[in-house]
Amino acid sequence: DGGITQSPKYLFRKEGQNVTLSCEQNLNHDAMYWYRQDPGQGLRLIYYSQIVNDFQKGDIAEGYSVSREKKESFPLTVTSAQKNPTAFYLCASTRGIRYGYTFGSGTRLTVV
Amino acid sequence: AQSVTQPDIHITVSEGASLELRCNYSYGATPYLFWYVQSPGQGLQLLLKYFSGDTLVQGIKGFEAEFKRSQSSFNLRKPSVHWSDAAEYFCAVETSGTYKYIFGTGTRLKVLA
């Protein structure tokens, strides 16, 4: 079955370390997105990509980086510059914005 | 700036009772409108969407939503709630051409047996 796979499900990071969250989709979707979810704040857009080798900053891109070298993959790196990285991270994709997103099951990142 | 408001942070209903979750948006034209549901620790699942035509749309799991242009609202309804409907519900809008959604802050639904 087609879908989006996020890994790992849980991730622990020491302060000062960079970590990379994986997002892979086999839906043949062109557009992919990364959202951050914090309690009471809904979902906030970090980065998005409409096509391979191109991506745009969302509302809270500072301290994050992405790449889009393959259509299927859109990894997110949380750098040491991100002041408060502990959150639930969601990856999504779509074949067209009118169709709605397909979401992955998320990665919970905790800084220890 | 475009925005989405879900006025109710928490709602509690008894199993079998009807449900209405509110969503208001701020945008000049008619946006594309969506409702998603999220179980704890999981991703979001699309319930239904609206972008034109009949203002009452049907979705999965017995949910429906009505678009009211005059009130800038897109409220989600279900005639009879089941215990398995307990989850968090998010309204989202896409203002044409931005290629991204704006999400509301969510409404957490609790269902009493």
Side-chain angles (χ1 to χ4, degrees):
Chain A
D1 289 339
I4 296 183
T5 301
Q6 289 188 243
S7 61
K9 190 169 179 64
Y10 299 96
L11 187 57
F12 297 88
R13 189 196 92 174
K14 293 183 179 179
E15 286 193 20
Q17 287 182 336
N18 294 353
V19 289
T20 297
L21 282 60
S22 172
C23 178
E24 303 277 336
Q25 55 101 355
N26 61 2
L27 299 165
N28 199 34
H29 288 171
D30 285 315
M32 298 187 73
Y33 303 79
W34 274 105
Y35 282 88
R36 170 178 171 144
Q37 186 176 22
D38 298 280
Q41 297 194 48
L43 278 70
R44 293 182 290 167
L45 183 63
I46 304 172
Y47 269 98
Y48 63 107
S49 168
Q50 297 174 52
I51 197 168
V52 174
N53 292 322
D54 188 42
F55 47 83
Q56 288 78 41
K57 293 182 179 180
D59 302 316
I60 56 165
E62 185 176 351
Y64 300 97
S65 65
V66 294
S67 64
R68 187 83 187 278
E69 297 176 0
K70 298 186 300 182
K71 188 175 186 177
E72 302 78 21
S73 179
F74 191 40
L76 173 74
T77 297
V78 184
T79 74
S80 56
Q82 169 50 232
K83 292 184 173 61
N84 185 21
T86 294
F88 189 54
Y89 291 87
L90 287 160
C91 180
S93 71
T94 184
R95 63 178 171 130
I97 198 69
R98 302 178 185 188
Y99 296 95
Y101 289 166
T102 299
F103 279 89
S105 56
T107 293
R108 185 165 299 281
L109 172 63
T110 303
V111 174
V112 296
Chain B
Q2 295 86 10
S3 65
V4 179
T5 302
Q6 294 181 247
D8 305 304
I9 299 174
H10 297 280
I11 283 187
T12 301
V13 299
S14 298
E15 191 170 19
S18 63
L19 172 69
E20 182 168 28
L21 303 181
R22 296 183 289 166
C23 174
N24 295 95
Y25 64 90
S26 170
Y27 182 58
T30 300
Y32 301 127
L33 298 156
F34 306 85
W35 274 100
Y36 287 85
V37 61
Q38 184 182 34
S39 298
Q42 297 297 315
L44 280 70
Q45 180 183 20
L46 179 66
L47 284 175
L48 46 79
K49 60 182 183 283
Y50 171 83
F51 49 86
S52 67
D54 193 344
T55 57
L56 183 65
V57 294
Q58 303 296 321
I60 62 172
K61 301 178 187 279
F63 285 92
E64 65 179 26
E66 185 172 14
F67 169 62
K68 292 185 178 180
R69 185 190 306 274
S70 61
Q71 298 177 20
S72 297
S73 70
F74 188 56
N75 294 350
L76 182 71
R77 302 195 294 245
K78 187 170 185 178
S80 177
V81 170
H82 188 263
W83 64 266
S84 60
D85 294 324
E88 190 156 21
Y89 292 81
F90 292 91
C91 180
V93 303
E94 190 271 344
T95 53
S96 185
T98 64
Y99 301 100
K100 55 187 178 179
Y101 296 170
I102 300 171
F103 283 86
T105 52
T107 297
R108 187 170 297 278
L109 173 66
K110 182 177 180 179
V111 180
L112 301 177

